[in-house]
Amino acid sequence: MPSTPDPASWRPQPSPRPYPLVGVDLPGAGAHPQAWRREDSRAEELFGPRYWADLTGRLDAAGADIAFFPDRFGVASGPGTVRGRLEALGTAARLSTTTRRIGLVPTQTTTHTEPFHVAKAVQSLDHTTRGRAGWQVDVSADPAGYRLFGRKEVQDPADLWDEAAEVIEVASRLWDSWEDDAEIRDVATGRFVDREKLHYIDFVGRHFSVKGPSITPRSPQGRPVVVIAVTDQASRAVAVRTADIIRVAADDVDAAEALAGELRREAGDRELRILLDVDAHVDADEATAIRELAQLEEWAGEPYRGRTLLRVGSAASLVGLITDVGARPPLDGVVLRPLALAGGVTVLTQHVLPALRPPELARDDTTLRELLGLSRPANRYAA
C-alpha cells in the first residue's frame, strides 16, 4: 500500500489555471479492444486523416488540454482486436495545422530508435505546432519488437529505462545545441546562422555517443514537454528525474493522491505536473453507459480489466471525478482513456468539458509549457 504523503515534504506547484488539466488518450478505436465493433466506431477511417483530424479538432475546440497518441512496436495479438496503427508522431504532425491550442503528445519508444532521429522529429513537431509539442517516452520489452529490428538482445526493465534516460539526455542537449538567436539570416555577409552559437554536445554514455549539434533550430518551447507513464520502479526513477509530466495509474483517487505525493517528494523542487489515468465509458445517462460496456464485454468474452481507475456511468459522474482530482494538490488533472473513442469524444465535448471550463477561458497561441505553468528552460550552452 502506498504511504500517506507528508504535506511538509513537498511543495505545491500552483497551476495557472482555475480548473484541472484534462488530457485525452487516443488509442485507435478506443481503450477497449472490441470498441471497433460498435456502429459508431468509425473503424473504416482508422488509417486515414479525417478520423484523427475530426476527433482531435473537436477536443481542441471544446478545451481539452492535451491529446496523447500512443504507439508501440508490434501489433495487437488478441482475437478480434484491431491490428495495425498509424505512426504516432506522423499523425500528430498532420494535426499541427488543424488544431490551435491543444498540446500534441505522441509516444516515441527509445528501445530501437536513435536519439538524434527522435530529438529532431519531436523538435520539428514543436516548430510546426508553434510550441504545442510533447514527447511521451516509452520502452519496448516485447520480444517481437526485437525481432522486428534484429539489432540487439532483449533487455531487462532497468536496462531499458537506463537507455531511455540516455536518450532523454541526448535529446535535451540537442534541443539546446542551437542558441535561440543562432539563426541570423545576414544577407550582407551571406551567413544564415551564427556558427559561434551552434554547439557540439559531445555526449558519451553506455548506450550512445553523440557529437551533435542538431540540424534543427531551437524550438518555441526550448525543450518540448517530456512525459513518462510510471509503470514500474525503473520508469519511476527516470520519471522523477526527467519528466515534465508524469502519468500515474491507481485503483482510486486516494491511492493516486498518495502516489503523487511520493513522486513530488522524490522529484524535489523540479517543476512537473502529475496526471491520473482514468479509463472511462460515460454517456448522458448511467444506464446507457452500463449497457454499452456489457456489450463490449460480451464481445470480448470477459470483463474489462484496465490498469487504472475505471469510471462507467453518467457524464456528470465523470465531471465530479475530475473535479475531485483537481482539488487534491499533488495531482494536477487526468488523462481520460475512452473505452470507445469516437463515441467517447462526443460525450466529452458535449457534456464533460463544457461543464469543467467556460469557453471564455480558452486561449489561443499558448505553448504547452505555458498552458501547464512550466518555465521555458534556459539554454545550457548560452553564455
Side-chain angles (χ1 to χ4, degrees):
M1 292 289 292
S3 59
T4 302
D6 176 1
S9 64
W10 56 272
R11 186 177 61 188
Q13 297 175 1
S15 168
R17 302 137 31 85
Y19 42 78
L21 292 164
V22 176
V24 180
D25 220 26
L26 290 92
H32 196 289
Q34 302 295 322
W36 67 275
R37 298 171 73 173
R38 286 168 51 99
E39 288 187 5
D40 66 351
S41 72
R42 302 174 62 178
E44 70 281 6
E45 299 181 76
L46 284 177
F47 305 117
R50 187 169 59 180
Y51 175 79
W52 301 100
D54 177 53
L55 297 187
T56 310
R58 283 194 280 149
L59 289 169
D60 185 32
D65 298 303
I66 307 172
F68 292 92
F69 301 89
D71 203 352
R72 64 189 179 92
F73 296 122
V75 296
S77 58
T81 60
V82 173
R83 293 171 183 259
R85 67 175 60 81
L86 297 182
E87 194 276 327
L89 200 145
T91 302
R94 171 67 178 80
L95 304 173
S96 295
T97 57
T98 61
T99 54
R100 296 187 310 169
R101 174 183 171 275
I102 193 169
L104 302 179
V105 181
T107 294
Q108 290 285 281
T109 58
T110 59
T111 307
H112 304 291
T113 50
E114 292 293 331
F116 191 92
H117 293 153
V118 173
K120 88 179 158 60
V122 175
Q123 196 173 28
S124 296
L125 182 64
D126 202 40
H127 278 287
T128 59
T129 58
R130 297 183 181 274
R132 293 183 287 120
W135 165 31
Q136 176 146 344
V137 180
D138 202 358
V139 300
S140 177
D142 183 0
Y146 287 81
R147 290 194 292 273
L148 289 176
F149 295 87
R151 294 198 305 180
K152 55 185 177 181
E153 300 298 321
V154 175
Q155 299 161 270
D156 62 36
D159 197 42
L160 284 168
W161 279 102
D162 181 70
E163 183 179 54
E166 282 197 8
V167 176
I168 295 168
E169 177 62 22
V170 170
S172 177
R173 294 188 189 195
L174 287 170
W175 292 337
D176 282 351
S177 64
W178 288 48
E179 294 186 32
D180 286 307
D181 56 352
E183 182 186 338
I184 56 175
R185 297 189 299 276
D186 188 335
V187 174
T189 62
R191 295 187 306 153
F192 193 84
V193 299
D194 180 348
R195 189 63 185 81
E196 298 300 315
K197 295 188 176 182
L198 271 57
H199 303 274
Y200 295 118
I201 69 168
D202 291 322
F203 178 87
V204 178
R206 282 188 59 227
H207 303 275
F208 305 101
S209 295
V210 179
K211 181 72 174 177
S214 176
I215 63 171
T216 306
R218 200 163 195 249
S219 63
Q221 295 186 99
R223 298 174 202 157
V225 171
V226 171
V227 183
I228 295 178
V230 169
T231 56
D232 55 22
Q233 285 300 320
S235 59
R236 176 174 178 156
V238 177
V240 297
R241 294 201 315 269
T242 64
D244 300 301
I245 296 176
I246 297 178
R247 291 176 61 174
V248 299
D251 293 334
D252 55 49
V253 179
D254 288 339
E257 181 182 20
L259 175 57
E262 293 175 3
L263 295 171
R264 287 200 182 277
R265 184 174 64 246
E266 294 168 19
D269 289 335
R270 287 187 57 248
E271 290 184 332
L272 81 158
R273 299 297 174 202
I274 300 178
L275 305 179
L276 169 62
D277 280 6
V278 177
D279 288 356
H281 189 72
V282 296
D283 208 303
D285 66 273
E286 182 176 2
T288 300
I290 292 174
R291 184 175 67 251
E292 291 180 347
L293 176 60
Q295 175 64 80
L296 292 171
E297 292 177 331
E298 181 181 334
W299 282 330
E302 60 183 0
Y304 177 74
R305 294 185 180 87
R307 65 175 187 86
T308 191
L309 186 159
L310 169 65
R311 175 55 53 100
V312 179
S314 66
S317 74
L318 183 58
V319 171
L321 172 66
I322 297 170
T323 303
D324 182 24
V325 170
R328 304 191 187 215
L331 294 163
D332 296 291
V334 298
V335 177
L336 302 174
R337 303 179 70 248
L339 299 195
L341 185 58
V345 166
T346 296
V347 176
L348 293 179
T349 55
Q350 292 183 358
H351 301 288
V352 177
L353 290 166
L356 290 168
R357 56 204 57 190
E360 62 270 20
L361 291 181
R363 298 180 298 176
D364 292 334
D365 300 325
T366 300
T367 70
L368 181 54
R369 283 190 175 277
E370 290 171 341
L371 185 147
L372 296 169
L374 303 177
S375 305
R376 187 178 191 270
N379 190 317
R380 75 188 68 195
Y381 300 112

